[in-house]
Amino acid sequence: MQPINLASSGSQNVHAQRTFRDIVNIGPHCLERFIDSTNAPEIKALDIELAGCSNLSGTYQVGRVTPPNHTIFYSLKGSGKILTPSGEYALPASSVIILPAHQSFEVQIEYFNETSATADATEVTKSEASEVQDKINAGKAPQAQIEQSSEPAPRADQAPRADQEQWDIIWLNLSDCPRWQHFFDVAHPVQHNIELSGLHHAMELLYLETDSQHRQAVIPIIQQYLQHIATPVKSTHQVRLSALFAAVEKQLQFNWDIDALLDKVHYSAPHLHRLCLAQFGRSPMQHVIYLRMVRAKNLLISTQWPIAYIANYVGYSNVFTFSKRFKKSEGMPPSEFRQRQSLH
């Protein structure tokens, strides 16, 4: 069985004299486990169109021209490279790349020899390429076309060469929808030193599990990992604000006032006020009060501490002042709040 080269005459993007094309060039030593809506319909809840776990060796080259969905590749072992109109990216182990929808790309195993692989590849007609591309877009496994080849199966002695390192990856195609809209704003597509082995195990379990309830139990795990890697890159101001109020949360008993906040973050008062309104919809001191009330509610629910103790813990030396502030925030005094929560 020879790898198939699916070249289409669709739109082309060029970077450094490179022409992108729809291509599936997968050798006989590559193993792929596809997850789609037929064997795991639960993935629709996360707007996942297609996903897979792949063990690659030898020839591996997949290219897409302006794909309609977002693509994520995560390298578990070995290394690969991804070519895009904006440049070439290495993807060593523990690295992830986010490729937004409508951006052409090509992914290869690191030691892939494009010249020899292209010479060995089997070209197909334009109509055949379109048919396979339709299957890919519809969520069908591209190797389904490869498995229909009339070429004989590889002999046992056609093992990968010793110098061919295996590249293990997981990958996901995500719909171009509001949930993943921020993929278009990713400033740095590659993230290094990312631990996604849990996502890998969840995907393998999703592939193997035949019980729908068990598959459904895996979906929240996958969602959590996707949200982690898909979080938009924060601006410098967002990072500084997060650090400021993380420090406030660690010392809610401290007598925080606007001057103390300004000394910590090194902003002017008007600038900090504007940033807090944009980020939280509250002024700086209103956000401090908000954090104090959140902590107070948690302590009222989860402990039997006296209210005076809780008041002092969140920065109010006067229990009457605390109760007044709590009632203004929650519509009832802290004692009533605790009593109501105990009834649930």
Side-chain angles (χ1 to χ4, degrees):
M1 180 178 67
Q2 288 186 332
I4 294 179
N5 183 354
L6 304 178
S8 77
S9 58
S11 59
Q12 296 177 330
N13 293 329
V14 179
H15 175 74
Q17 305 300 317
R18 184 172 194 88
T19 300
F20 287 90
R21 53 186 175 158
D22 288 311
I23 182 171
V24 177
N25 192 357
I26 302 177
H29 306 296
C30 296
L31 303 176
E32 299 201 80
R33 298 170 296 289
F34 281 79
I35 302 166
D36 58 30
S37 59
T38 59
N39 59 12
E42 295 78 10
I43 65 175
K44 293 179 181 178
L46 297 181
D47 296 305
I48 299 174
E49 297 180 0
L50 188 65
C53 307
S54 303
N55 307 111
L56 310 172
S57 185
T59 299
Y60 184 79
Q61 178 189 30
V62 173
R64 298 296 306 277
V65 176
T66 58
N69 42 34
H70 308 291
T71 302
I72 293 176
F73 287 99
Y74 178 69
S75 184
L76 295 158
K77 173 187 175 183
S79 184
K81 62 180 178 180
I82 287 83
L83 301 97
T84 73
S86 60
E88 180 178 318
Y89 302 92
L91 200 68
S94 300
S95 299
V96 65
I97 188 167
I98 298 174
L99 300 167
H102 314 299
Q103 173 190 275
S104 300
F105 69 85
E106 186 174 307
V107 57
Q108 304 174 357
I109 200 164
E110 184 178 34
Y111 47 76
F112 176 73
N113 186 328
E114 185 171 354
T115 301
S116 61
T118 301
D120 293 337
T122 301
E123 295 288 342
V124 299
T125 66
K126 178 181 177 181
S127 61
E128 290 173 320
S130 298
E131 180 182 353
V132 176
Q133 189 58 49
D134 289 341
K135 290 182 180 180
I136 295 173
N137 292 338
K140 302 297 183 182
Q143 80 261 43
Q145 177 74 15
I146 296 173
E147 291 170 353
Q148 294 172 7
S149 171
S150 60
E151 295 294 327
R155 300 190 310 272
D157 60 352
Q158 291 179 315
R161 299 193 311 271
D163 62 341
Q164 291 183 338
E165 181 185 6
Q166 182 167 299
W167 187 31
D168 294 342
I169 62 173
I170 56 176
W171 52 271
L172 303 100
N173 291 151
L174 305 168
S175 298
D176 178 10
C177 61
R179 183 199 294 267
W180 308 116
Q181 189 69 23
H182 55 269
F183 278 177
F184 292 110
D185 301 322
V186 173
H188 304 288
V190 178
Q191 301 175 36
H192 296 287
N193 301 315
I194 301 295
E195 180 50 60
L196 296 182
S197 58
L199 176 60
H200 171 222
H201 294 314
M203 289 175 59
E204 294 279 13
L205 185 59
L206 195 63
Y207 173 80
L208 293 170
E209 185 55 61
T210 58
D211 186 280
S212 177
Q213 289 186 333
H214 293 166
R215 291 197 305 268
Q216 185 61 50
V218 175
I219 294 299
I221 299 174
I222 295 176
Q223 180 179 16
Q224 183 177 5
Y225 275 101
L226 288 178
Q227 288 174 338
H228 173 70
I229 65 175
T231 301
V233 177
K234 292 184 177 180
S235 68
T236 302
H237 292 318
Q238 289 174 315
V239 171
R240 290 175 69 176
L241 277 186
S242 296
L244 168 64
F245 288 106
V248 170
E249 282 193 282
K250 291 176 183 177
Q251 290 184 294
L252 287 173
Q253 77 282 4
F254 184 76
N255 185 27
W256 293 104
D257 58 20
I258 191 63
D259 289 333
L261 295 175
L262 295 177
D263 287 343
K264 194 115 184 132
V265 77
H266 303 295
Y267 282 144
S268 69
H271 190 47
L272 179 60
H273 187 84
R274 286 193 299 269
L275 291 174
C276 285
L277 284 180
Q279 180 85 2
F280 309 115
R282 295 181 284 269
S283 71
M285 289 310 302
Q286 286 173 338
H287 194 58
V288 172
I289 293 171
Y290 168 79
L291 295 175
R292 284 173 166 162
M293 294 302 104
V294 169
R295 179 70 58 78
K297 287 189 293 183
N298 290 337
L299 293 175
L300 286 166
I301 295 171
S302 60
T303 75
Q304 295 300 315
W305 292 354
I307 292 176
Y309 189 97
I310 293 174
N312 197 273
Y313 194 89
V314 297
Y316 294 91
S317 57
N318 186 305
V319 67
F320 176 78
T321 303
F322 167 70
S323 296
K324 185 178 178 180
R325 172 58 66 183
F326 190 93
K327 184 176 181 179
K328 183 177 181 180
S329 173
E330 302 303 319
M332 66 188 77
S335 57
E336 183 179 345
F337 176 85
R338 170 177 273 173
Q339 184 178 13
R340 289 193 181 189
Q341 292 299 318
S342 66
L343 297 177
H344 293 308

